[in-house]
Every structure is written in structure tokens, then in C-alpha cells.
Amino acid sequence: MGLVLALFTGVIWLYLVWRFVYPLPGGRWLKGVLALCLLLAAEYRLLVRLICGGVPSQVLPRDVLIVLAWAFGTVLLLALLLLIRDVLGVLIFIVRRAAGRAVLAGGRRLVVIGLLVTMLAGWGVWQAVKVPAVKTVDIH
């Protein structure tokens, strides 16, 4: 199961490099560092299995696990939003070429999508790890 997940997340990483990292404005060095960070985030479960033996909750500190979950969530949400954008862009391109090209264009829109996804993944992890308030109920 672990190798199948690693293969699946590897394909997601390739899609992100092709549709997100490559069209971003910036130099090769910046894009290479971003691609490497996305690879580490996408394959963190495989890396944890290789380093820790499979059970990260017993070895890694809580804060590290939270950051890893945030990074992995960012990768998955970014891939999902880019896939939705690409499908809509192709459908719009079929009807109106100029509008489809505008939807599929990279640049600053990709930066905004990346920041939005990063914040959304952070909010999701924060909601997942917060301790709910204790509610006291009196029974008569």
C-alpha cells in the first residue's frame, strides 16, 4: 500500500511541477527549490516510513507532524484546484479560445492560487488539531 501511495503522490508531484512550478515567474533556482519542497511534501509518508519505520507519531514531535500534515494538505489541495482550473479552462477553450487561454494562463494567478491553498491547508490542519471546548451538561 505504501508504494502505491508513493507512486500516486509522485504523479501528483509531476503534475504540480508541470502546471504550477514551471509557469511561475522566477528563476530556475527558485523553481528548483520549490519543486524539491513539493516533492518532499508529497512523499513525506514514504520518507517517514523509511526513516522512522512506519509510525511517525511515536518518533516525531507533534509540531513536526502538524507541519508535515499542512505541507501534504497543501500539495493535495493545490493539485485539486489546478486540475479543476485546467478542466474548466479546456472546456472554456472549446467554446471561446481567448477566454480559455486566459483561464489557463500562469503568472500571478498561480501565485495567488498557491497562497490561497497554503492558507486553506493551514486552516484545515488548525481545525483538525484544535481541542474542542468542554461543554458541561447538568442532568436533572
Side-chain angles (χ1 to χ4, degrees):
M1 175 65 184
L3 293 178
V4 173
L5 181 63
L7 180 65
F8 183 69
T9 55
V11 170
I12 290 174
W13 174 76
L14 285 173
Y15 178 70
L16 289 178
V17 169
W18 174 50
R19 297 299 297 153
F20 181 72
V21 175
Y22 181 70
L24 278 176
R28 282 187 178 172
W29 190 83
L30 179 67
K31 291 178 184 183
V33 169
L34 182 59
L36 181 64
C37 289
L38 285 173
L39 177 64
L40 292 174
E43 299 294 344
Y44 98 89
R45 292 185 182 268
L46 178 65
L47 296 173
V48 165
R49 173 178 282 142
L50 293 174
I51 294 169
C52 302
V55 184
S57 63
Q58 296 174 356
V59 178
L60 297 175
R62 181 178 187 266
D63 293 338
V64 172
L65 289 175
I66 289 171
V67 169
L68 290 174
W70 165 73
F72 188 69
T74 299
V75 166
L76 292 181
L77 285 174
L78 183 59
L80 181 66
L81 277 182
L82 286 177
L83 185 63
I84 290 170
R85 183 195 73 141
D86 288 347
V87 168
L88 288 176
V90 167
L91 292 176
I92 293 171
F93 182 80
I94 291 171
V95 177
R96 295 188 48 159
R97 288 188 184 267
R101 283 192 185 110
V103 171
L104 293 172
R108 293 183 183 203
R109 287 185 189 161
L110 288 176
V111 174
V112 171
I113 289 173
L115 292 174
L116 176 70
V117 164
T118 302
M119 290 187 297
L120 190 60
W123 180 78
V125 171
W126 174 66
Q127 290 293 317
V129 299
K130 75 176 186 177
V131 178
V134 177
K135 183 177 180 181
T136 306
V137 178
D138 294 328
I139 300 175
H140 297 280

